[in-house]
Amino acid sequence: MSDAAVLSNAQLNKRIVSVLIFTFFCYLSVGLPLAVLPGFVHNQLGFSSFMAGLIISVQYFATLMSRPHSGRLADRFGPKRVVMLGLICCGMSGVLSIVAALCRDLPVLSLLLLALGRVFLGVGESFSSTGSTLWGMNIVGPLQTARVISWNGVATYFAMAIGAPLGVLLNQWFGLSGFAGLVVLMGIVGFVLAYQKPPVSVTAGVRIPFHRVVSRVWLFGLALGFGTIGFGVISTFITLYFASRDWSGAAFALTVFSLGFVIVRLGFGRYITRFGGLKVSLVSFVLECAGLLLIWQADSAWLVDLGAFLTGAGFSLIFPALGVEAVKQVQQQDQGSALGTYSAFLDLGLGLTGPVAGLLISHWGMQSVYLAAALMVLGAFLITLRLQQQHGRRTTVPTAG
């Protein structure tokens, strides 16, 4: 890893992108069904909006349950093996979605097959994304952690930006099997590419118990989880929100969200190193909350698009900003576990968003979920403010003595 210190920015980015391509494949697989499955479950299979949200959330719960295991396995066996396993799971989710489409005349069976596919996709997401991030951190060194996590997010939301409208198009042309076939293909191609790359060595050292890892990173993760809800309500319910108001262009709103995310991540990612992850997170939460409140009160589609852009711009730096601070809490041999545990809170936030928002919709209408999400982001701001105050006390104590 010593040679990483003398590499140029372009060389560092090339190394990082060479493994984060697997994150791109993973999240393109995640993005393709987002704007399609809720409508398929609600309109074609005939289930409620609650079930439409729940079928999306199944993936996030599967990711939540498997994310800590992905980090520990990557620490022990190396990230390459974990990435390969994750890509297999992503491909299996596509296979099950194709079978579910063929069984649409049996709604319950089709729903169960979709749910099983979402489980595979959730496990594939946790293994592929956590493994790819740790792989990138290992090949460029710990000083480039913020750069790796930032590029990981660019790959994630660039894939989501492409995936949402592409999934809609493939569904229009070929039905559910259209996007599912692409998911299968990416799983196969990604596995072959990962297999051909050399592995990285596993860091030696005494690893602390898992519960101690959790105790060190859980507040960072909790803030992340609350801050993620804004993305959750947009990605899961924006199509139904547009439909409830007889507007078109829901997929474009998802693309605008991802565009705001990528612009801020590329243009302002360096501010994490310059000002610190906690300060950047505080500003980001304010911006995200403003975007959600704008969607809540919007009376036209273009205002929703603007709110989605602001939400994406605000959410953009939250994961790397808090993530950099979270992995600092442990030694390098435990960073996979810390990253996996921290990331699991993102999955928890997304997993709870679907069913809880579905209940809110049934009682208070579609717009209520965006107000609720804004309040959760406010909670994330307060948690991060507490962490910033604790950090300030720790840094001032030595000088006082």
Side-chain angles (χ1 to χ4, degrees), residues 125-151:
E125 178 192 347
S126 65
F127 279 54
S128 298
S129 61
T130 302
S132 296
T133 305
L134 191 62
W135 202 346
M137 289 164 59
N138 284 340
I139 63 175
V140 298
L143 294 178
Q144 301 297 330
T145 296
R147 184 192 295 258
V148 174
I149 297 178
S150 292
W151 272 104

Side-chain angles (χ1 to χ4, degrees), residues 279-296:
K279 289 181 180 178
V280 170
S281 297
L282 289 171
V283 176
S284 298
F285 285 132
V286 171
L287 191 60
E288 182 184 2
C289 187
L292 290 166
L293 290 174
L294 184 58
I295 296 175
W296 170 51

Side-chain angles (χ1 to χ4, degrees), residues 202-227:
V202 180
T203 303
V206 178
R207 294 181 171 85
I208 62 176
F210 180 64
H211 71 272
R212 291 183 60 190
V213 175
V214 175
S215 69
R216 295 183 184 188
V217 304
W218 76 273
L219 270 179
F220 300 92
L222 188 62
L224 171 68
F226 283 168

Side-chain angles (χ1 to χ4, degrees), residues 34-36 38-39 56 164 168 230-257 291-292 295-296 298 300-301 303-309 311 353 357 361 366-367 369-370:
L34 274 182
V36 175
I56 295 294
V168 172
F231 164 62
V233 295
I234 290 178
S235 64
T236 304
F237 289 100
I238 200 69
T239 53
L240 298 179
Y241 180 59
F242 270 67
S244 70
R245 312 192 76 174
D246 295 323
W247 294 340
S248 59
F252 180 71
L254 285 171
T255 299
V256 168
F257 172 92
L292 290 166
I295 296 175
W296 170 51
S300 63
L303 283 176
V304 175
D305 293 338
L306 178 59
F309 181 85
T311 304
T353 295
I361 290 170
M366 188 68 67
Q367 288 176 278
V369 299
Y370 297 97

Side-chain angles (χ1 to χ4, degrees), residues 80-398:
K80 174 179 176 176
R81 294 183 182 181
V82 171
V83 168
M84 291 169 63
L85 181 57
L87 291 167
I88 292 174
C89 291
C90 288
M92 279 300 302
S93 72
V95 172
L96 288 165
S97 296
I98 292 173
V99 179
L102 297 175
C103 298
R104 71 179 66 200
D105 292 334
L106 300 171
V108 174
L109 177 60
S110 181
L111 186 71
L112 290 175
L113 288 168
L114 284 177
L116 183 58
R118 301 295 290 171
V119 170
F120 271 99
L121 186 58
V123 175
E125 178 192 347
S126 65
F127 279 54
S128 298
S129 61
T130 302
S132 296
T133 305
L134 191 62
W135 202 346
M137 289 164 59
N138 284 340
I139 63 175
V140 298
L143 294 178
Q144 301 297 330
T145 296
R147 184 192 295 258
V148 174
I149 297 178
S150 292
W151 272 104
N152 186 73
V154 172
T156 296
Y157 289 95
F158 181 60
M160 299 282 280
I162 296 173
L166 181 59
V168 172
L169 288 176
L170 290 173
N171 182 63
Q172 290 173 349
W173 294 339
F174 307 107
L176 210 64
S177 300
F179 79 79
L182 181 56
V183 171
V184 175
L185 179 62
M186 287 189 296
I188 295 171
V189 173
F191 179 87
V192 172
L193 292 176
Y195 178 79
Q196 293 174 344
K197 290 187 65 65
V200 294
S201 59
V202 180
T203 303
V206 178
R207 294 181 171 85
I208 62 176
F210 180 64
H211 71 272
R212 291 183 60 190
V213 175
V214 175
S215 69
R216 295 183 184 188
V217 304
W218 76 273
L219 270 179
F220 300 92
L222 188 62
L224 171 68
F226 283 168
T228 301
I229 291 174
F231 164 62
V233 295
I234 290 178
S235 64
T236 304
F237 289 100
I238 200 69
T239 53
L240 298 179
Y241 180 59
F242 270 67
S244 70
R245 312 192 76 174
D246 295 323
W247 294 340
S248 59
F252 180 71
L254 285 171
T255 299
V256 168
F257 172 92
S258 298
L259 183 64
F261 183 100
V262 172
I263 289 174
V264 171
R265 182 67 68 92
L266 290 176
F268 301 95
R270 64 186 184 278
Y271 287 0
I272 297 172
T273 302
R274 183 175 177 182
F275 297 108
L278 295 175
K279 289 181 180 178
V280 170
S281 297
L282 289 171
V283 176
S284 298
F285 285 132
V286 171
L287 191 60
E288 182 184 2
C289 187
L292 290 166
L293 290 174
L294 184 58
I295 296 175
W296 170 51
Q297 288 293 291
D299 57 5
S300 63
W302 75 267
L303 283 176
V304 175
D305 293 338
L306 178 59
F309 181 85
L310 290 175
T311 304
F315 181 59
S316 177
L317 296 180
I318 291 170
F319 185 90
L322 291 174
V324 166
E325 301 298 330
V327 298
K328 286 180 182 178
Q329 311 305 310
V330 299
Q331 298 298 316
Q332 188 172 358
Q333 64 268 22
D334 292 303
Q335 285 187 346
S337 295
L339 184 63
T341 301
Y342 165 74
S343 302
F345 283 88
L346 180 148
D347 308 313
L348 179 61
L350 292 175
L352 290 174
T353 295
V356 172
L359 292 175
L360 287 175
I361 290 170
S362 64
H363 286 87
W364 290 288
M366 188 68 67
Q367 288 176 278
S368 65
V369 299
Y370 297 97
L371 174 60
L375 294 176
M376 292 296 99
V377 173
L378 177 60
F381 176 88
L382 295 176
I383 293 170
T384 307
L385 185 62
R386 177 186 173 187
L387 288 169
Q388 174 67 23
Q389 291 169 344
Q390 291 175 345
H391 177 75
R393 286 196 294 267
R394 285 196 299 268
T395 55
T396 55
V397 166

